[in-house]
């Protein structure tokens, strides 16, 4: 019999100073411990011990020359967490505070998320403590080249297929893929999120945000409600927030906030026009990591140094970074009448915020379910590359929609409580876990 506290104590001893990894692991283990104890084969095969230990971790030096001719040194990583279901799959994050512990949390989460998509993908994550803020295009190119010169040794279209994450978008994927091709002379689509002209998939840039709105629409439908007319707070201003804002607007909701490290924008008119969406992509590409210019351009309010969760809304979609919504934020949202909190960033809510939302029977969805649309369309990009074809936007969007509906159903199936409340956290964790655990059992140790 596994016991949560003794298992966690052991995990904490093995992984000191990795609080985010331990937070993610506790959240999953807590959800699946009963299922595990009901299946003695899981204990016999030491599934919990094995599933919390990455298959392997690479760490490497990345050296590059800045625009002044000075040599800079960063650290690069690739965490290959679990390949029970397919090639390692997961994004690359470039962020100044990135550590191995953060990547282990992300790779661990990715394993269950990818399982939920039903596509054949294992879980991995990588990146660097390289800070894109203020870097020139040429510096980003030189960094990406150097990073891929090492990463190239560990990846391959049937081994490990990275994509973008924070700080890694279309431009960075292009530079990384260019270097991969220079070294390997292969057009196998080893990265996803590529440009359309060299193997990228339509709808991939929008997929995470679109998928979150499809998932939210399913949650609303279960409550005989729709997203039309809902007032929405979104955090972040990058790729994920951009897709979310566009789809929410298209479905008739009004998004009133986006945010950056500098504060948040309150736009009472709604962030609902192509001009405003285009400005978000301009802000992201400018590498300044600020949203304030939006306020000046569109006559909206800028609230410096604060997060958007103090704005009264019906639904909140954290779309920026882990632990961006605290217990205090959750209390404020609920006190102001919010009924839905949908994590679109990975582990967007702090652990105590999640517990509070579930206790209050708020419709809360964890990131590994709600934001799986991004990696799902990455999986579709892999399929298209393998077949040397491109699907139309309509085809990809329909498949994305079907996948999100299916993930929602899996959560409902495994997460419905006796009182009818859907514990999406538990549902997503159990559904994602079962498939990985069963595959590990079938393949032996
Ligand atoms: O967190 C995520 O799911 C991603 N950054 C996307 C990963 C992918 O391989 O598309």
């Amino acid at each position: 019999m596994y016991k949560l506290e003794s298992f966690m104590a052991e995990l904490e001893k093995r992984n000191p100073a990795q609080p985010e990894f331990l937070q993610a692991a506790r959240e999953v283990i807590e959800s699946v411990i009963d299922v595990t104890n009901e299946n003695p084969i899981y204990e016999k095969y030491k599934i919990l011990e094995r599933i919390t230990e990455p298959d392997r971790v690479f760490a490497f030096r990345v050296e590059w020359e800045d625009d002044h001719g000075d040599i800079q040194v960063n650290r690069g990583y690739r965490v290959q967490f679990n390949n029970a279901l397919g090639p390692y799959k997961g994004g690359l994050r470039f962020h100044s505070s990135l550590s191995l512990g953060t990547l282990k949390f992300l790779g661990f989460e990715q394993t269950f998320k990818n399982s939920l998509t039903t596509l054949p993908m294992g879980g991995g994550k990588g990146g660097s403590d390289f800070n894109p803020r203020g870097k020139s295009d040429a510096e980003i190119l030189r960094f990406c080249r150097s990073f891929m010169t090492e990463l190239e040794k560990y990846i391959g279209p049937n081994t490990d297929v990275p994509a973008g994450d924070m700080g890694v978008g279309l431009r960075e994927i292009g530079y990384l893929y260019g270097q991969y091709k220079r070294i390997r002379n292969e057009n196998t689509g080893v990265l996803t999120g590529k440009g359309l002209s060299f193997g990228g998939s339509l709808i991939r840039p929008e997929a995470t945000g679109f998928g979150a709105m499809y998932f939210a629409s399913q949650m609303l439908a279960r409550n005989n409600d729709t997203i039309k007319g809902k007032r929405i707070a979104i955090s972040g201003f990058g790729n994920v927030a951009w897709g979310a804002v566009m789809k929410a607007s298209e479905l008739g909701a009004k998004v009133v906030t986006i945010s950056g490290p500098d504060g948040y924008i309150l736009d009472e008119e709604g962030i609902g026009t192509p001009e405003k969406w285009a400005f978000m992509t301009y802000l992201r590409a400018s590498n300044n990591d600020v949203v304030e210019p939006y306020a000046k351009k569109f006559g909206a309010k800028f609230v410096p140094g604060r997060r958007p969760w103090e704005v009264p809304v019906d639904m909140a979609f954290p779309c920026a970074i882990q632990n961006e919504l605290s217990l205090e934020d959750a209390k404020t949202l609920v006190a102001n009448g919010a009924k839905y909190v949908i994590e679109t960033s990975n582990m967007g809510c702090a652990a105590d915020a999640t517990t509070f939302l579930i206790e209050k029977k708020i419709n809360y969805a964890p990131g590994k379910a709600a934001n799986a649309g991004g990696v799902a369309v990455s999986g579709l990009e892999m399929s298209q590359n393998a077949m040397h074809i491109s699907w139309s936007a309509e085809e990809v969007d329909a498949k994305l929609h079907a996948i999100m509906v299916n993930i929602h159903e899996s959560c409902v199936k495994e997460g419905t409580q006796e009182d009818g409340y859907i514990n999406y956290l538990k549902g997503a964790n159990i559904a994602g876990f079962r498939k990985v655990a069963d595959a590990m059992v079938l393949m032996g140790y």
Side-chain angles (χ1 to χ4, degrees), residues 2-9 11-12 21-38 48 51-52 108-109 112 347 350-356 358-359 364 368 414-415 417 423-431 433:
Y2 283 112
K3 292 207 174 61
L4 178 66
E5 290 313 327
S6 55
F7 182 85
M8 284 308 301
L11 199 67
E12 280 160 26
F21 171 62
L22 292 167
Q23 180 187 341
R26 174 179 282 275
E27 225 171 64
V28 170
I29 304 297
E30 205 165 14
S31 296
V32 305
I33 195 143
D34 290 344
V35 170
T36 308
N37 286 331
E38 284 158 18
L48 293 193
I51 221 165
T52 49
F108 179 77
E109 287 285 289
F112 306 105
M347 205 166 73
D352 50 6
T354 303
T355 306
F356 171 80
I358 292 173
E359 265 169 24
Y364 158 79
K368 65 171 75 67
E414 302 278 12
Q417 294 183 178
N423 186 332
Y424 284 90
L425 178 68
K426 197 163 178 186
N429 284 335
I430 293 177
F433 170 81

Side-chain angles (χ1 to χ4, degrees), residues 78 88-93 106 110 113-114 121 124-125 161-166 192-193 204 208 240 344-346 367 371-379 382:
R78 186 70 181 166
Y88 303 105
K89 184 81 198 84
L92 298 170
R93 177 175 290 193
L106 289 163
Q110 197 81 44
K113 182 196 312 197
N114 294 3
M121 301 183 290
K125 205 87 190 189
V161 183
D165 193 85
M166 293 178 70
T192 61
R204 178 62 190 88
T208 311
V240 172
T344 312
S345 47
N346 292 307
N371 76 24
V375 75
V377 174
S378 275
M382 289 167 71

Side-chain angles (χ1 to χ4, degrees), residues 30-64:
E30 205 165 14
S31 296
V32 305
I33 195 143
D34 290 344
V35 170
T36 308
N37 286 331
E38 284 158 18
N39 288 275
I41 190 101
Y42 289 167
E43 189 175 2
K44 179 169 157 45
Y45 277 78
K46 293 279 189 289
I47 294 298
L48 293 193
E49 289 83 346
R50 290 165 63 206
I51 221 165
T52 49
E53 186 70 26
D55 292 353
R56 66 192 70 77
V57 171
F58 300 103
F60 48 91
R61 190 177 70 236
V62 186
E63 45 214 9
W64 55 283

Side-chain angles (χ1 to χ4, degrees), residues 112-226:
F112 306 105
K113 182 196 312 197
N114 294 3
S115 165
L116 283 169
T117 67
T118 72
L119 302 176
M121 301 183 290
K125 205 87 190 189
S128 175
D129 61 356
F130 172 75
N131 181 4
R133 184 187 277 184
K135 300 293 187 298
S136 71
D137 199 73
E139 287 175 324
I140 289 174
L141 172 63
R142 287 194 294 271
F143 176 81
C144 286
R145 267 190 193 155
S146 182
F147 183 84
M148 181 54 88
T149 302
E150 180 67 21
L151 184 71
E152 169 274 321
K153 299 173 179 124
Y154 316 120
I155 63 175
N158 293 307
T159 309
D160 183 351
V161 183
D165 193 85
M166 293 178 70
V168 180
L170 191 64
R171 166 181 48 192
E172 291 76 15
I173 291 291
Y175 293 159
L176 291 163
Y177 194 57
Q179 181 69 350
Y180 183 85
K181 292 214 302 177
R182 222 166 270 124
I183 298 170
R184 300 275 276 256
N185 195 20
E186 286 173 6
N187 284 270
T188 45
V190 70
L191 303 175
T192 61
K194 299 183 291 297
L196 279 180
S197 54
F198 53 95
S201 175
L202 286 160
I203 307 293
R204 178 62 190 88
E206 299 90 342
T208 311
F210 278 23
M213 291 303 155
Y214 296 153
F215 193 91
S217 298
Q218 294 299 306
M219 295 173 80
L220 285 151
R222 275 205 99 263
N223 297 330
N224 297 316
D225 203 349
T226 79

